[in-house]
Each structure stands twice: as structure tokens, then as C-alpha cells.
Amino acid sequence: MLFADDIVLVDETKDGVNRKLELWRNTLESKGFKLSRTKTEYMHCEFGNTRHRDDGVVKLGEVEVPRVNHFRYLGSIIQNDGNIENDVTHRIQAG
């Protein structure tokens, strides 16, 4: 079995993310791959001045995807508020 890590789907709405996630799931599973329902998570970002309604949930099939405030992507720690404090702290401690 093959594994792929660190895939990011971006959209302005949760409905858009749900559609993209379902498309990825269907496409990967039709080729014999599987998306991990236990390791998949999402983050709602507020980087700009515009505020979007935060209604609904993100789902992978019938499983609700947990929301996080930060996660590691390609070695960097990404935070939902755009700050880099966690990433800088991690890099200092790693040095």
C-alpha cells in the first residue's frame, strides 16, 4: 500500500472543502488508495480582513473531520490566525 502525506485543500467555504474532499476521496479510492479518517484534520483560517460564516462541519464520507488551530505542513507549523510564533519557537528548539 502506498501513502501520501501533507495534502492541502483550500476553499473559501466549508461546502467547497467538503466537495473537494469528497472528490479526492472518490478519486483515490477508485485507484486503490485510502484517505485516513483518523489522521485527516482541517483548519479554518482568518488571514484577511473579511470574515466568513463558520457554519457546518467538514466531513470525510460520514465521519466528521476534527478542527485544529495549527498543524505541521512540510516542516512548518501553520496557525489559523496567521501568526508564526509556534513555528519560530519550534525551529529555535530544534537548532
Side-chain angles (χ1 to χ4, degrees), residues 16-56:
V17 171
N18 279 322
R19 281 192 300 276
K20 289 178 182 180
L21 190 55
E22 190 62 20
L23 176 63
W24 270 82
R25 185 183 70 80
N26 287 333
T27 302
L28 290 170
E29 288 181 357
S30 73
K31 306 292 184 197
F33 294 94
K34 197 171 189 180
L35 246 63
S36 171
R37 280 143 175 86
T38 59
K39 293 183 180 180
T40 301
E41 54 192 24
Y42 86 96
M43 183 172 69
H44 179 89
C45 297
E46 293 288 349
F47 294 152
N49 292 332
T50 50
R51 301 285 182 203
H52 297 281
R53 286 182 30 201
D54 192 21
D55 294 343

Side-chain angles (χ1 to χ4, degrees), residues 76-79 81-91:
S76 295
I77 298 175
I78 311 296
Q79 294 174 230
D81 58 5
N83 287 324
I84 60 170
E85 295 164 8
N86 288 345
D87 192 43
V88 171
T89 302
H90 171 73
R91 289 176 186 269

